[in-house]
Amino acid sequence: TLGGLKRNLTAGEITAQVVKAQQMLDATNERVSSIVIMGSGEPFENYDATMAFLRVMIHEKGLNIGQRHITVSTSGIVPSMYKFAEENTQINLAISIHAPNDKLRSKLMPVNRRFPFEDVIEACRNYIAKTGRRITFEYALIGGVNDQSEHAQELADVLKGMLCHVNLIPVNHVPERDYVRTPREQIFEFHRVLERNNINVTIRREQGHDIAAACGQLRAKHMDGAVG
């Protein structure tokens, strides 16, 4: 991430975040019913702590959250993807790809230089074969970079026949990057190309964009405030 790696969280520290949220919800008799592990950090580079945390979340004496209500998102740490396929859980797996080919993905995601796109896709196929579960592919649309119809067609060709779902994410502006949002019509065209190729696809419903609290924005705003 932009802030650089400081250290990994322990399983207890990750668990404490959810416990704190539950304590806040107790006042209204609500409960944490779903979890997504995604954001600033890579769960599969902290694999043992992540799995220890997940076991607490799903245990009947822990938070007892249904496994299918939990999603782990990775940027494509291939060895850990193979390990996760052997865990025998019903926890959902999401992969951030953001490009339909190796060259473009390496420009957008430095991790691709360690684990090439082809290897990530092969690990996905292995996961589906081992578990019979659908994978979600997260694809951030960046104006003029990876959002053209030819990119959509190339992505469809890669994913054709896979048990998968594509989640299109219009990129949010953050001060440290000059990425611009894909025009609305182009977002829908990208969606149409995938649908025509029988790829299950949705466009992520946005929340918090108007107050700089959407994906990638809250951290940047908080850091600016801390520095100032």
Side-chain angles (χ1 to χ4, degrees):
T1 65
L2 289 168
L5 175 65
K6 300 297 185 287
R7 66 174 179 86
N8 285 323
L9 295 176
T10 66
E13 288 171 326
I14 306 170
T15 301
Q17 296 179 52
V18 184
V19 171
K20 180 63 176 178
Q22 183 57 62
Q23 290 172 341
M24 295 171 69
L25 289 172
D26 285 344
T28 54
N29 293 317
E30 297 177 272
R31 70 183 297 264
V32 175
S33 58
S34 62
I35 295 173
V36 179
I37 306 177
M38 175 187 292
S40 295
E42 170 50 66
F44 278 1
E45 289 278 37
N46 191 22
Y47 188 85
D48 291 343
T50 295
M51 293 309 302
F53 158 75
L54 290 172
R55 292 185 187 103
V56 172
M57 293 300 103
I58 65 178
H59 198 281
E60 61 181 12
K61 293 184 178 179
L63 267 72
N64 198 25
I65 296 174
Q67 294 189 40
R68 296 192 180 198
H69 294 279
I70 301 175
T71 297
V72 179
S73 178
T74 177
S75 59
I77 308 302
V78 169
S80 294
M81 291 171 65
Y82 279 98
K83 287 174 67 175
F84 192 68
E86 304 292 338
E87 293 285 353
N88 192 30
T89 76
Q90 296 294 304
I91 294 169
N92 302 306
L93 179 62
I95 315 294
S96 296
I97 52 173
H98 309 323
N101 60 61
D102 208 53
K103 183 178 180 180
L104 180 55
R105 193 168 190 263
S106 287
K107 289 181 179 179
L108 295 174
M109 301 179 66
V111 69
N112 194 71
R113 299 165 201 163
R114 289 175 59 202
F115 304 111
F117 186 55
E118 184 176 329
D119 293 349
V120 173
I121 295 299
E122 185 57 37
C124 290
R125 295 186 188 281
N126 172 77
Y127 173 85
I128 294 168
K130 289 279 187 180
T131 67
R133 294 186 56 72
R134 184 178 74 169
I135 279 184
T136 295
F137 290 104
E138 308 282 0
Y139 193 104
L141 292 166
I142 305 169
V145 176
N146 66 349
D147 62 344
Q148 301 303 298
S149 298
E150 53 266 33
H151 294 128
Q153 185 59 56
E154 190 175 1
L155 181 62
D157 292 341
V158 170
L159 303 183
K160 193 165 291 185
M162 290 182 66
L163 182 61
C164 68
H165 168 255
V166 176
N167 189 21
L168 299 177
I169 309 166
V171 72
N172 294 311
H173 172 72
V174 293
E176 302 97 331
R177 291 286 186 261
D178 57 1
Y179 294 149
V180 297
R181 174 164 292 223
T182 297
R184 181 180 176 86
E185 182 50 42
Q186 185 59 39
I187 294 172
F188 289 127
E189 176 59 21
F190 200 101
H191 183 279
R192 283 192 289 268
V193 171
L194 292 179
E195 275 201 327
R196 284 199 297 267
N197 284 271
N198 298 313
I199 304 296
N200 191 298
V201 56
T202 54
I203 300 169
R204 176 178 288 180
R205 182 168 60 91
E206 295 183 275
Q207 293 181 318
H209 182 262
D210 57 329
I211 57 171
C215 184
Q217 294 182 316
L218 187 59
R219 178 212 60 82
K221 187 173 182 180
H222 172 76
M223 293 296 290
D224 285 346
V227 172

